[in-house]
Structure formats: structure tokens, C-alpha cells
Amino acid sequence: MPRRQRGSVMALLAVAMLALVAMAALALDGGHLLVNKTRLQNAVDAAALSGAKTLSQVQGSAEAARLAREAAMDTFTRNANATGNGELAAALAADSGFVVITQSASVYGPFSVAGPVAGSPRYVRVSVPDYPLTGILWGVLSLFGGGAVDKAVAAIATAGPSPTSPCDLAPVMVCGDTGAGQHDPANGLYWGFRLGDLEVLKTAKNNTSDIGPGNFQLLDFGSGGSTVREQLAGGGTLCPEIGNNVATKPGNTAGPSVQGLNTRFGDYSGGGLSETDFPPDLVVDYNKLSNGNPALEPNLDTNQINYLGSGGGVVSSDAHGNLSTAGGTALFDYNDWKSRTATCVDNPSAAGCRNGGVFERRMLKIVVGRCSGTDGGTASVPVLGFGCFFVLQPMDQQGGSAWLLGQFIQECEGDDLPGPNPATESGPQIIQLYKTYIDDSRTPSSDS
């Protein structure tokens, strides 16, 4: 009957309008949620990476936890203040506890604001548990949900070191010990090397290496002396992996080796290398004689390093990597360099910090090879792994006598691609993001 159907169109229109408004709310507020969730996740990711990077640079310093927190917070703030992030900047300014930064010695935790209770912090976690957002048509969606619901997003990120096969390799090699029990990283033993061990990384004229006659521990990464010069300066591009073979390079190549390596100490005499392309380290101090010459010299007959200065004698390392002479004279070593580097990272203008210096230029990433069976000349050597060596002093060329002396360090900064596992091995490490775990049962967070 016509009279009974009057008003039905209005009812249908009212329902349709409500559905249209709900769809508009879903599009506008849902899009707003997704955009701000992405922006927030990018900000916490960048902050966690920045904090973990800083932590690796100042590891061992009493101020490590503070410096990592400050770096993470600074990076987050810069992202919040970037163009288009006005809402995030306003939320950050309105809430002093908006960002939570914690640290741990393990990627699985426990994480705390002050850093781990035991051990050195290595992993940084940055989280924003509640980022309230402005509602556009949010109230309409809340009606469908049965009541008022806050419009907010959250994000969390965890970053820390992971082993990597480096590309910025120096073209030198040391021979690893493949004997039983000589590779036990959990107990600080890496193919026969322990923290602080002194090693001749390149022998000199009239000396022989374990590779065989005519070899001076150089690798063939390209075309002759110019490649050796550039790659000892830090221009390596080859990325061999464990299990690959590398070719040795016969010949001393003393001049190019000295010219390349010494750029790490700010010496650019000869070779045409510039400070712009190959800056020095943040800290260029080393043990030197009164005339300024390097004070350490190898005795390859005894496989020992001698100190030529006052109170000299054979140099030895304790279990923590501290170097001293037989007479008890303490020497400038990796630990001194690391402490000074942490100061320079915190305050680049501090005394002893090289202007324009770059972190870890004195750390060489080199091949640890399986040298057994080589007999001189050009040889193909399997890669056991990659070692980190702190360069103790510049190379001093006297005729063909140009030694490269290093101190074995368990970890250093690497490049190339990260792996899926946290750092448990010695060698080059790269900072990467990890899945965040929210409890000791390794339950993954849905916000990372």
C-alpha cells in the first residue's frame, strides 16, 4: 500500500549515509594511522641503529650507556623535526617519557634503561609505547566498535652487531692455526689468536713468511703496487667469503705499502693519496723514540716484538690486551686508543683528537688463511675467516725493511651485508636491526 511505504527512502538514506561516513572515516583515519605508524617505525629504527653504532664506537667506556642513549635520542628528535612530522614533534615535546631507550648485553635481553646489570651493553632498543593521534572521523568508527577507543600507534626497534664478511679488506694475510682447539671464539681463541696478541702483518726484505719464499704476506687484489697502496689506505672493494680462495702476491712492494698504510696516521708523503679520500684516524698517537721514529721492531728469528726506547726489551700482552716491556714500561696499545677514541667520539675537539679524523681507521680487516701446503710464489689460500688488527705504528721504510705490526682485537667495524644471527664470533661486525623479543621466552613483538 502507498501510505505504508512513506519514509522508507529516508531510512535507507540514513543507513547509507552512516555507511558512507564510516567508509570515509576508515579511509581518512586508517590512512592517517598507517602513515604515522610508518613514520614512527622509521624514527625508532634509525634511533636504535644510531644508538647501537655509537655503542660500538665507545664500547668499554664508563660513559658508553649515556652516549648511546644521547645518540639514539638525538637521531629520533631529528626525525621528529623533519618536514611532514609535525604531529610527531608535538607529541615528543608534550611528553618527556615519550621515547624509551634501553640497552642489553644480549639481543634477547633483559633490557634496562641504565644498560645491562652484568656485562657491557651491545644492543640498543628504542620504543614508543603510545603515540596519540588526532582523530578526523574517528568517533564514527568508535561507535561501530562499541565505545570510545583512543587513536594511537606504537613502535619498537632493536639494533646491534652481527658478523659480516668485509669488503674493505687490507691486502695482507696472516696464517691461522688449524690445530685442534685453536678455534674457540667462546673462550677468546680465534684460529690461534687471542686478544692483544702481537703479530707481524707484513714481513720485510730478507724475511720469509709462513706462506713461503718470495711472499711477504701480501694478497693479490688487483694490478700491482698501485692496488696495494690504495687498498692499504682503505680502498678495498673485494668481498671474499669464508671458504673462498685468495691469491697471494709475491714481492715486497715496500714503497706502496708504506704510502698507503701511513695515510691512516695522517701521512700523505708520496703516492698521490689525499686526506679527502683517505682521512686519518681519530687518534694517531703511537710509541715513538725521541727522534720521532716508531719504537717497536720485530725480531723474526724469535717471533717477538722489541721496544727500542728507554726501559726497552721484549713486548708482551696481558689477558686484557695491555702491552708492556719486560722492564715494566707500559706502552700505548689498543686499550689506550679505544679509551681516547671514546673521548673523541663524545668531544671531537678534546686534546689528542685528530681534526677530520675517522673512527677505526687504525683497525685493519684482514684475511686469516689456511697456509699449510703453500710453497712460495703465487699461491691460492683458503679463507678461514677475517681478523681485526689494531695498527700499532706507521710503517717505517728503511731500504726494504718495512714491517707492518698489529695487535689482534676480537671485534671491529665491518661492511658488506649483515647476517641473521647476533654476534657470537670474533672478527668484523656490522650494526643491523633485529626482530624485537619481549620476554625471556623469545616471544617476538608485533610492533617491530
Side-chain angles (χ1 to χ4, degrees):
M1 298 303 174
R3 291 183 179 180
R4 294 181 181 178
Q5 294 178 8
R6 288 177 180 176
S8 60
V9 173
M10 294 297 295
L12 290 174
L13 183 60
V15 173
M17 286 297 294
L18 186 60
L20 288 172
V21 172
M23 290 298 292
L26 184 62
L28 292 172
D29 286 282
H32 188 234
L33 274 169
L34 289 174
V35 167
N36 281 278
K37 166 64 177 178
T38 300
R39 289 174 175 173
L40 179 63
Q41 189 65 58
N42 289 341
V44 297
D45 286 350
L49 288 168
S50 177
K53 176 80 169 182
T54 299
L55 200 54
S56 72
Q57 294 178 341
V58 298
Q59 191 175 12
S61 167
E63 299 297 317
R66 174 184 66 81
L67 293 172
R69 283 197 305 273
E70 290 177 354
M73 194 65 216
D74 179 68
T75 298
F76 187 93
T77 302
R78 288 173 183 269
N79 275 273
N81 291 332
T83 302
N85 280 350
E87 198 168 353
L88 181 58
L92 176 63
D95 183 359
S96 60
F98 185 69
V99 181
V100 180
I101 301 171
T102 56
Q103 300 169 44
S104 175
S106 167
V107 72
Y108 303 111
F111 282 79
S112 68
V113 174
V117 176
S120 298
R122 306 198 62 197
Y123 299 86
V124 174
R125 179 172 291 175
V126 179
S127 64
V128 174
D130 184 29
Y131 173 23
L133 298 172
T134 302
I136 304 172
L137 296 173
W138 187 253
V140 177
L141 288 177
S142 298
L143 292 176
F144 283 93
V149 178
D150 290 337
K151 180 183 175 182
V153 292
I156 190 169
T158 302
S162 169
T164 183
S165 296
C167 295
D168 56 342
L169 286 168
V172 294
M173 182 179 71
V174 292
C175 297
D177 188 342
T178 57
Q182 293 301 306
H183 184 64
D184 187 6
N187 292 311
L189 192 60
Y190 187 74
W191 301 116
F193 295 101
R194 287 190 181 278
L195 172 65
D197 282 355
L198 297 171
E199 185 70 18
V200 177
L201 305 181
K202 180 190 175 303
T203 54
K205 184 179 179 181
N206 299 324
N207 301 131
T208 58
S209 70
D210 293 339
I211 302 172
N215 279 279
F216 299 84
Q217 296 175 255
L218 290 173
L219 293 177
D220 187 1
F221 282 173
S223 55
S226 61
T227 301
V228 170
R229 179 189 301 110
E230 183 169 329
Q231 295 193 343
L232 270 176
T237 56
L238 296 183
C239 314
E241 297 182 357
I242 294 174
N244 291 166
N245 281 22
V246 290
T248 62
K249 179 190 178 302
N252 194 359
T253 322
S257 297
V258 172
Q259 293 162 358
L261 187 283
N262 287 358
T263 61
R264 299 171 186 265
F265 290 85
D267 180 0
Y268 300 91
S269 54
L273 303 178
S274 70
E275 184 170 352
T276 301
D277 295 327
F278 303 103
D281 194 278
L282 285 169
V283 178
V284 297
D285 289 356
Y286 58 94
N287 301 291
K288 62 181 68 175
L289 303 174
S290 57
N291 60 6
N293 290 337
L296 302 181
E297 182 177 281
N299 183 335
L300 298 177
D301 293 329
T302 61
N303 291 321
Q304 294 175 319
I305 306 295
N306 294 326
Y307 176 63
L308 305 180
S310 176
V314 175
V315 179
S316 61
S317 171
D318 65 15
H320 303 289
N322 298 305
L323 299 183
S324 61
T325 67
T329 301
L331 301 177
F332 187 87
D333 53 29
Y334 167 75
N335 291 318
D336 298 310
W337 170 85
K338 182 172 69 171
S339 175
R340 289 272 297 280
T341 295
T343 299
C344 294
V345 170
D346 186 26
N347 181 15
S349 62
C353 301
R354 176 64 185 250
N355 183 37
V358 174
F359 177 68
E360 277 201 358
R361 285 281 286 140
R362 286 176 69 172
M363 294 297 299
L364 294 187
K365 278 79 74 175
I366 68 176
V367 169
V368 178
R370 184 192 298 272
C371 300
S372 59
T374 57
D375 56 0
T378 300
S380 183
V381 180
V383 176
L384 295 172
F386 305 97
C388 301
F389 286 85
F390 170 67
V391 181
L392 289 165
Q393 62 187 26
M395 294 179 73
D396 183 22
Q397 185 177 4
Q398 301 175 9
S401 298
W403 303 283
L404 175 52
L405 305 181
Q407 185 179 14
F408 178 73
I409 307 304
Q410 289 177 312
E411 295 177 8
C412 60
E413 186 178 80
D415 59 359
D416 200 21
L417 300 176
N421 301 313
T424 56
E425 276 272 4
S426 295
Q429 313 284 329
I430 190 170
I431 301 300
Q432 70 167 41
L433 291 168
Y434 287 93
K435 186 71 177 177
T436 293
Y437 299 89
I438 59 176
D439 55 33
D440 292 337
S441 299
R442 302 186 180 181
T443 304
S445 167
S446 59
D447 285 321
S448 69

